[in-house]
Amino acid sequence: MRTAILGIGSLGTIIGALINRSGFPVDMIDASKPNVDALNSKGATVTGSMNFTVPVKAFLPNQLEGQYDLIFLLTKQTANAVALPPLLKHLHPDSIVCTLQNGIPEESVPGFVGKERTIGGAVGFGATWLEPGVSSLTSTVEAIETYGFEIGEIDGRVTPRIEKIRDVLARAGGTVILTNLMGIRYSKLLMNATFSGMSAALGVTFGAVLDDTKAMSCLAHIADETIKVCHALGYRMVEMQGLDMEVFELQSKADIPSKMPFYHQGWDRHRLLKASMLQDLEKGIPCEIDFINGVVSKNGAKLGIATPFNDKVVELIKEAEGRKGINDFSYLSRFDGILASAT
């Protein structure tokens, strides 16, 4: 099965390095020439919770030849309109594009490569890109070995092709096939909208959010809004990283203290993680906020569900994008009004 990863950032570097280290060749495709050159000359280097370097083969998109059976999509959704059309000539009718992107990419990726070629999945660990060819695993080794990937067909079937994809991804980390793909997606969206959203909005690590009572109260409302939108769309949250995401729904703000042990159970292992959206803000480039908290806000508006906490995260991150800067923890005060009026 000829396989490639498209988008060699923080996660793509680590996933490609681990799969190649296992003895299964996977090409690494990226639009950055310095990144491709470094990968080819020095190999893919993983630091942080793991430390190793492995030789890999990397290509610019215009250097590709032939067709691939399987491509893991790890570009940001903001790049899909540019990155996916040139890929079509390297796909055959039975090729598979497995999107491991944040947000709900199943709403857009089939429009480029075809619904019949699209499979979805979620990544259960975090990383920080350090320099061309080098990425730091900021989650624990346990997180990647136990909760590495959750994948599924759009229609929920367990097919021979998804079992093959599981076998490939299992070379990088623990991989589970679930039959509720959109439940997976909204569960992962909750994980990103909460800690990644607050990390980017306040310019801090996940641990800094976990350690602040007011920040966690805001985060609990972000989770609750996401769950209510998910339910209104006809989906149910699923278990991820040992937690049933349904547990985070609130009946009232009085429920928030009882949720804190579950947040620590799920996210203490990711305390050092800095959201990829924050990493983008630090680089002065647009981030994926429209595809994360923005999805909750957009669908909430369509469904008549108020999403003030997700809306505020979008507002703060858009402001940072506009000035090509990052916020600091003092921006938490911008939640005071909606926090006071929350029921």
Side-chain angles (χ1 to χ4, degrees):
M1 178 178 281
R2 191 177 186 219
T3 302
I5 297 172
L6 176 61
I8 312 301
S10 57
L11 293 174
T13 301
I14 290 175
I15 295 168
L18 287 167
I19 295 175
N20 274 294
R21 188 176 69 161
S22 77
F24 186 94
V26 55
D27 291 345
M28 301 173 77
I29 308 166
D30 198 68
S32 167
K33 189 175 187 301
N35 201 25
V36 167
D37 288 346
L39 289 164
N40 283 324
S41 62
K42 301 176 183 178
T45 297
V46 179
T47 66
S49 300
M50 293 181 176
N51 285 278
F52 68 92
T53 299
V54 62
V56 297
K57 292 182 179 180
F59 303 90
L60 294 167
N62 62 9
Q63 294 175 328
L64 297 179
E65 296 180 353
Q67 295 178 319
Y68 287 89
D69 303 303
L70 170 62
I71 293 181
F72 293 111
L73 184 58
L74 279 153
T75 54
K76 296 184 184 301
Q77 284 207 63
T78 51
N80 281 356
V82 173
L84 292 179
L87 192 66
L88 293 177
K89 63 184 177 184
H90 300 292
L91 302 177
H92 54 74
D94 295 322
S95 293
I96 304 163
V97 176
C98 180
T99 171
L100 298 175
Q101 297 170 306
N102 290 327
I104 315 291
E106 291 79 14
E107 295 179 354
S108 61
V109 170
F112 294 102
V113 304
K115 185 175 182 179
E116 70 285 352
R117 287 180 172 142
T118 306
I119 281 177
V123 179
F125 60 93
T128 299
W129 189 85
L130 299 180
E131 62 183 73
V134 183
S135 187
S136 174
L137 178 62
T138 45
S139 296
T140 62
V141 173
E142 175 198 13
I144 192 169
E145 290 181 344
T146 308
Y147 307 115
F149 309 94
E150 292 174 305
I151 58 174
E153 294 273 8
I154 292 176
D155 62 9
R157 292 178 302 135
V158 178
T159 59
R161 70 176 187 169
I162 203 163
E163 291 176 335
K164 290 180 181 178
I165 294 171
R166 176 199 58 201
D167 293 344
V168 175
L169 282 176
R171 294 171 175 271
T175 306
V176 176
I177 298 172
L178 296 181
T179 57
N180 179 7
L181 177 61
M182 298 311 292
I184 298 170
R185 276 304 188 192
Y186 269 89
S187 297
K188 182 60 188 291
L189 186 66
L190 182 150
M191 298 177 75
N192 283 326
T194 51
F195 282 93
S196 293
M198 289 298 283
S199 169
L202 303 177
V204 296
T205 63
F206 287 14
V209 177
L210 275 164
D211 292 338
D212 189 271
T213 301
K214 186 163 86 172
M216 287 302 295
S217 293
C218 296
L219 184 146
H221 285 290
I222 292 169
D224 181 60
E225 292 171 2
T226 305
I227 293 170
K228 286 179 167 53
V229 167
C230 174
H231 289 173
L233 289 168
Y235 309 128
R236 300 290 295 180
M237 294 283 175
V238 301
E239 182 178 303
M240 295 193 83
Q241 306 214 1
L243 286 171
D244 181 354
M245 294 295 146
E246 292 283 340
V247 76
F248 296 113
E249 186 173 16
L250 304 176
Q251 301 305 313
S252 74
K253 65 182 178 182
D255 293 342
I256 292 176
S258 69
K259 308 299 182 184
M260 292 302 108
F262 298 108
Y263 282 115
H264 283 280
Q265 178 186 338
W267 279 273
D268 272 345
R269 64 175 67 93
H270 304 299
R271 295 183 66 87
L272 299 178
L273 187 58
K274 186 165 59 174
S276 61
M277 290 194 293
L278 177 55
Q279 295 176 51
D280 288 340
L281 293 176
E282 290 174 336
K283 298 170 189 172
I285 60 177
C287 69
E288 292 185 288
I289 186 61
D290 288 334
F291 302 99
I292 301 177
N293 299 79
V295 169
V296 182
S297 296
K298 179 186 70 174
N299 286 334
K302 289 179 180 178
L303 296 163
I305 297 171
T307 58
F309 287 89
N310 279 279
D311 298 346
K312 184 60 67 174
V313 169
V314 173
E315 176 187 313
L316 295 180
I317 293 176
K318 290 284 190 180
E319 287 181 11
E321 279 187 335
R323 67 174 188 275
K324 293 190 181 298
I326 60 172
N327 301 331
D328 58 40
F329 210 76
S330 69
Y331 279 74
L332 183 60
S333 65
R334 297 278 293 275
F335 289 90
D336 287 351
I338 55 174
L339 197 56
S341 61
T343 58

